[in-house]
Amino acid sequence: MLGAFVLIMLSALYTAQGLRIDRSQVENFAPQEPIRIADELINERFAGTSFLDVVIDTDEPEGLLRADRMAKLVELQRYMESLDHIEISVGITDYLALLHQAINELEDSDRVLPDDDDAIAQYLLVYEVSGDPTDFEEEIDSAYQSALIRGVLDSVHFSKTRDTVEMMQSYIDREFNEPGMRATLGGDVNITYHWMSRLESSHFQGVALSLVMVVGMAIAAFRSLSAGLLAVVPVTFTIIMIYALMAGFGVYLEPATSMFAAISVGVGVDFAIHLVDRLRIALRLNSDDLPAAIAMAVPGTARACFFNAAALGIGFSVMLASGLPMLQRFGGLVASAAVASFLIGLIVVPACYAAALALKRQLGVTPAPAKAAAKSLALLLGILVILPAERAVAESTTGLEIAT
């Protein structure tokens, strides 16, 4: 029984390595929702619906009325448009190039600007006199000290835009920033990047920390290392299995779905704690006769745990009726974890005691019933902490490193 359990856990750990950490805001709506259909059509047929903004600031008013700085803005736009998923970019340089082309009767050109500071100031003055002065307010401020360049992307997924953000930031730090002028990334793509990057770097460590804290609590409550480790095995296995199912069915690990793990640890560990506690007492009363101890402890405890798991499962399953896929996924994951923790605890806890007692009789030693299994259980728990850390290191070669 324990051998099969170990094989299943290792298989689940392997499958869970394919878990995709990703996010798409529009996928929080059902596929048939008009807003999602429109978003997908715009991304497919037009420039896109996601924006990566570059805000340029100078230290003094009219700091952008310099030809050399405008030329750097043009180079920044050209680099931006060379990156994957950025279809177009728009900035004050586009309007200046059109003015330069019209005034000098030039043929079509790719953002050709005058190389004279006065010419740039004169172009802007001509337009302000003949047109609406507010036409450029989204591209440059009235003091000509700050400007905005907006890149339009055809993808909303973090997994596809992360390299774009990192390479853009690398270019800004390496090629663009200079004394008196600096650029800062903004826009919804940049916000998603920083949000998801922090989730990616901290989620698994947070889950591991919560498991360690639960183990410490269980050890203190039972005053036994082996019993404390045994109490957390079912919920650990459940979380790994849920990760594997998410990877198999293509469910992203995102802010909404990431919360299931912490909640599952809290609600799922109860079942194993109750079973371990009642079995320890029953084993002492029955002189380590496991069948008699199970007959005494399990029926009543399992009945109470069943109603607890049913209440949790049904309660969170209500969220499956939500119109938002985000809430459906969250409710389904927590409900599945609650029921699975109960079923796995009902099987694994007695099996671990049976293996420990069998080893005790074979070796002729007198450890606590679960102590013989504690080392192997501790090893399995350690895998949950080590493998995600290795994965994070393996994934650290990003677009930022490629760009440098």
Side-chain angles (χ1 to χ4, degrees):
M1 176 67 73
L2 281 181
F5 169 73
V6 172
L7 289 176
I8 293 173
M9 177 175 275
L10 292 176
S11 176
L13 274 169
Y14 177 79
T15 305
Q17 298 303 299
L19 180 63
R20 180 175 169 182
I21 301 175
D22 208 349
R23 182 176 185 268
S24 170
Q25 183 70 25
V26 74
E27 290 185 5
N28 290 324
F29 297 92
Q32 67 274 14
E33 290 280 349
I35 187 172
R36 180 167 175 177
I37 295 173
D39 186 89
E40 292 173 350
L41 285 175
I42 292 173
N43 283 316
E44 178 183 349
R45 300 182 184 181
F46 301 98
T49 60
S50 300
F51 303 110
L52 180 62
D53 296 336
V54 183
V55 179
I56 296 96
D57 291 305
T58 59
D59 290 343
E60 71 281 345
E62 300 186 356
L64 289 174
L65 296 182
R66 286 173 43 180
D68 59 330
R69 288 182 172 175
M70 282 294 178
K72 292 196 72 171
L73 266 65
V74 170
E75 291 302 317
L76 184 145
Q77 284 186 260
R78 288 173 179 166
Y79 179 79
M80 178 182 284
E81 292 173 353
S82 72
L83 299 177
D84 291 339
H85 302 295
I86 295 184
E87 296 295 314
I88 61 171
S89 66
V90 179
I92 187 61
T93 52
D94 296 292
Y95 299 99
L96 288 173
L98 289 174
L99 286 169
H100 182 63
Q101 177 182 338
I103 292 174
N104 294 278
E105 299 182 350
L106 301 176
E107 296 182 357
D108 291 344
S109 58
D110 181 19
R111 295 192 181 99
V112 176
L113 299 180
D115 54 6
D116 181 72
D117 296 349
D118 293 336
I120 291 176
Q122 290 168 4
Y123 286 169
L124 291 172
L125 177 62
V126 167
Y127 191 89
E128 288 180 358
V129 171
S130 60
D132 188 345
T134 63
D135 285 348
F136 293 154
E137 64 181 7
E138 293 186 2
E139 284 76 29
I140 194 168
D141 68 340
S142 59
Y144 306 118
Q145 186 172 354
S146 300
L148 171 68
I149 294 177
R150 169 161 289 178
V152 185
L153 288 80
D154 62 2
S155 177
V156 296
H157 288 90
F158 162 73
S159 61
K160 295 181 179 180
T161 60
R162 62 179 300 171
D163 286 350
T164 301
V165 174
E166 290 171 351
M167 295 178 74
M168 195 68 219
Q169 185 63 60
S170 176
Y171 176 86
I172 288 173
D173 295 336
R174 186 181 67 251
E175 304 289 344
F176 186 84
N177 286 344
E178 63 179 35
M181 184 173 70
R182 59 200 169 276
T184 306
L185 290 181
D188 61 318
V189 171
N190 187 58
I191 292 173
T192 299
Y193 166 78
H194 286 283
W195 188 2
M196 293 299 297
S197 295
R198 294 182 183 181
L199 173 67
E200 184 179 36
S201 64
S202 63
H203 172 75
F204 295 107
Q205 287 79 2
V207 173
L209 178 60
S210 65
L211 288 172
V212 169
M213 294 177 68
V214 169
V215 169
M217 178 276 300
I219 292 174
F222 292 129
R223 297 182 181 179
S224 169
L225 173 62
S226 56
L229 290 172
L230 180 57
V232 82
V233 168
V235 70
T236 302
F237 180 64
T238 297
I239 291 174
I240 295 174
M241 286 294 296
I242 296 296
Y243 283 145
L245 290 174
M246 290 174 64
F249 287 99
V251 177
Y252 304 151
L253 183 66
E254 56 175 333
T257 56
S258 67
M259 293 186 291
F260 96 90
I263 296 175
S264 299
V265 171
V267 302
V269 74
D270 294 348
F271 310 121
I273 287 178
H274 289 309
L275 287 169
V276 170
D277 181 56
R278 302 311 299 172
L279 275 175
R280 291 180 75 215
I281 296 173
L283 283 168
R284 286 198 298 267
L285 295 176
N286 291 276
S287 302
D288 287 350
D289 184 348
L290 184 60
I294 290 176
M296 174 186 291
V298 170
T301 305
R303 186 181 302 110
C305 289
F306 168 77
F307 287 115
N308 187 5
L312 288 169
I314 295 172
F316 280 100
S317 294
V318 172
M319 302 178 73
L320 295 173
S322 170
L324 293 177
M326 172 179 64
L327 295 180
Q328 294 173 357
R329 291 190 290 266
F330 174 72
L333 290 172
V334 177
S336 300
V339 175
S341 294
F342 163 67
L343 295 176
I344 293 171
L346 201 60
I347 296 171
V348 171
V349 171
C352 287
Y353 273 106
L357 290 171
L359 183 61
K360 171 185 174 180
R361 288 191 294 268
Q362 182 179 356
L363 299 178
V365 295
T366 57
K371 189 175 294 184
K375 292 182 179 180
S376 60
L377 296 178
L379 177 61
L380 291 175
L381 292 175
I383 293 175
L384 179 66
V385 180
I386 295 172
L387 287 184
E390 292 179 346
R391 176 185 178 186
V393 172
E395 292 182 349
S396 62
T397 303
T398 61
L400 177 59
E401 293 176 337
I402 295 172
T404 57

